[in-house]
Amino acid sequence: MLKIGYHASHELFPPGELLRQARLAEELGFPAAMCSDHFNPWTDKGGESAFAFAWLGAALQATSLPFGSVCAPGQRYHPAIVAQAAATLADMFPGRYWVAMGTGQYLNEHVTGDPWPTKPERRERLLEAVKVIRALWAGETVNHHGRWFRVDDAKLYTRPEVPPRIYGAAITAETAEWVGGWADGLITVGKEKDQIRQVVEAFRRGGGEGKPMALQAALSYAEDERTALVEARRRWPMITVTLEQNQDVATPEEFDRLTRDVELGEIKDKLRVSADIDRHVEWLRGDEELGFDHVYLHHVGPDPDGFLRTFARRVLPAFS
């Protein structure tokens, strides 16, 4: 049965506020949660950007929810550090933490000053990192001198009995097919059922048949649809930027420039925007039909508390 989770957006809210929202989500009956992992926000004005691994320790302690996060090992994070951070969380909170790994975005990774590889090279780097992380979780002493990084005599002395599940983060069908061969599950984003179906089918075709799948669904809800649209444009205009630009733009200021003239219709084409709760349930039914076991609701509209309370009362019961 589909579980509807809460997505904590570090790009939109400071960490203390996100922690309060996570507690409220649990209190209202949301069964799971996840968070983003950014160094920079998408937009300069009003953006936030707390350190996800530190926040996750607090969130897992403050709630009883299972949590996941998305990160990109290989540039901003050395894979040995990702392995240690994730192992620590999984040891303290057994069975409650999973991690999704992707190839990253220049927005976050360029802060190291290292060159930004091509997409095929970033895939190669990610797979190299995942192999190192899994070896460390298995208790091996790792000496690795690869193309992308070195690991010398690394061993994790604090490890969970069961390592975290690694989801492969994929937006395109091509990437989904690739992660199907090595990831423990899939996490993707999207709006329309036909678009998401292509990603799901590719993941299964690539080796993901039978593996768990999660969707991060960006949406905007308000009692008035225009309000939902206007607030989504204000908070999340980057959704209209092309995938190629999304991965290669360096700064929030550049995203602001690219989205300065975004119209409301463009937002509605990219996000689940509706004042009709039944329409939101319909979208989620489509996700369930595609085989997702979790959908994490990423609300980019107004009044986060009102959103949580309304969806807890009117959406969660439809999937219980």
Side-chain angles (χ1 to χ4, degrees):
M1 183 174 292
L2 181 67
K3 291 186 178 181
I4 310 299
Y6 153 78
H7 174 78
S9 180
H10 283 290
E11 305 94 305
L12 291 177
F13 298 100
E17 169 60 15
L18 282 183
L19 193 61
R20 187 195 65 78
Q21 290 181 25
R23 289 191 181 111
L24 178 61
E26 180 182 36
E27 177 186 317
L28 293 171
F30 284 82
M34 68 169 292
C35 77
S36 53
D37 181 350
H38 271 235
F39 190 89
N40 286 315
W42 294 107
T43 61
D44 186 56
K45 182 181 290 186
E48 295 285 343
S49 188
F51 183 48
F53 280 116
W55 185 84
L56 281 161
L60 284 158
Q61 176 64 29
T63 73
S64 61
L65 297 175
F67 266 88
S69 61
V70 183
C71 75
Q75 188 161 331
R76 177 168 50 113
Y77 290 131
H78 190 284
I81 302 305
V82 172
Q84 184 186 32
T88 298
L89 292 172
D91 181 71
M92 289 193 297
F93 307 102
R96 290 179 53 204
Y97 176 65
W98 54 266
V99 59
M101 297 186 182
T103 58
Q105 293 141 333
Y106 193 47
L107 175 71
N108 298 306
E109 308 307 317
H110 82 274
V111 297
T112 64
D114 296 325
W116 183 233
T118 65
K119 185 59 179 285
E121 289 175 321
R122 298 200 304 274
R123 286 182 181 171
E124 180 185 279
R125 182 175 68 180
L126 175 59
L127 195 53
E128 188 177 318
V130 168
K131 289 177 180 177
V132 166
I133 289 166
R134 283 184 164 148
L136 287 166
W137 286 348
E140 299 177 22
T141 298
V142 177
N143 286 282
H144 173 86
H145 297 169
R147 177 183 178 189
W148 296 103
F149 41 79
R150 294 169 61 98
V151 185
D152 290 325
D153 290 328
K155 180 179 179 180
L156 291 183
Y157 286 85
T158 297
R159 294 179 291 111
E161 290 187 14
V162 179
R165 178 177 284 164
I166 296 178
Y167 283 75
I171 299 176
T172 67
E174 181 184 8
T175 299
E177 185 169 359
W178 173 68
V179 303
W182 58 263
D184 301 323
L186 168 74
I187 187 164
T188 187
V189 298
K191 175 191 174 186
E192 297 296 347
K193 187 175 179 180
D194 288 343
Q195 298 169 346
I196 303 170
R197 178 185 285 111
Q198 295 177 29
V199 172
V200 167
E201 291 176 348
F203 175 69
R204 289 170 172 162
R205 187 167 62 245
E209 188 69 47
K211 295 179 180 179
M213 298 188 301
L215 176 71
Q216 178 189 309
L219 66 99
S220 183
Y221 167 78
E223 293 185 2
D224 171 73
E225 187 145 335
R226 181 172 176 80
T227 299
L229 273 171
V230 169
E231 287 298 301
R233 180 175 62 181
R234 183 176 71 85
R235 292 168 176 262
W236 211 245
M238 48 69 55
I239 194 68
T240 61
V241 174
T242 67
L243 178 59
E244 292 74 17
Q245 290 174 315
N246 177 292
Q247 294 183 334
D248 294 334
V249 171
T251 65
E253 292 86 353
E254 179 69 2
F255 273 107
D256 285 339
R257 186 187 66 78
L258 289 170
T259 59
R260 185 173 52 225
D261 300 320
V262 167
E263 297 183 359
L264 292 180
E266 296 177 76
I267 293 291
K268 193 166 187 178
D269 287 342
K270 299 291 184 179
L271 292 173
R272 298 180 176 185
V273 181
S274 181
D276 182 357
I277 286 293
D278 290 338
R279 181 66 180 114
H280 287 283
V281 171
E282 182 183 339
W283 272 313
L284 291 166
R285 287 291 184 208
D287 303 332
E288 185 176 43
E289 290 172 6
L290 289 174
F292 287 99
D293 50 90
H294 284 79
V295 176
Y296 295 91
L297 302 180
H298 180 195
H299 179 57
V300 299
D303 186 13
D305 287 17
F307 152 73
L308 287 171
R309 294 183 189 282
T310 299
F311 274 61
R313 187 176 70 255
R314 300 180 60 188
V315 174
L316 296 190
F319 299 91
S320 62

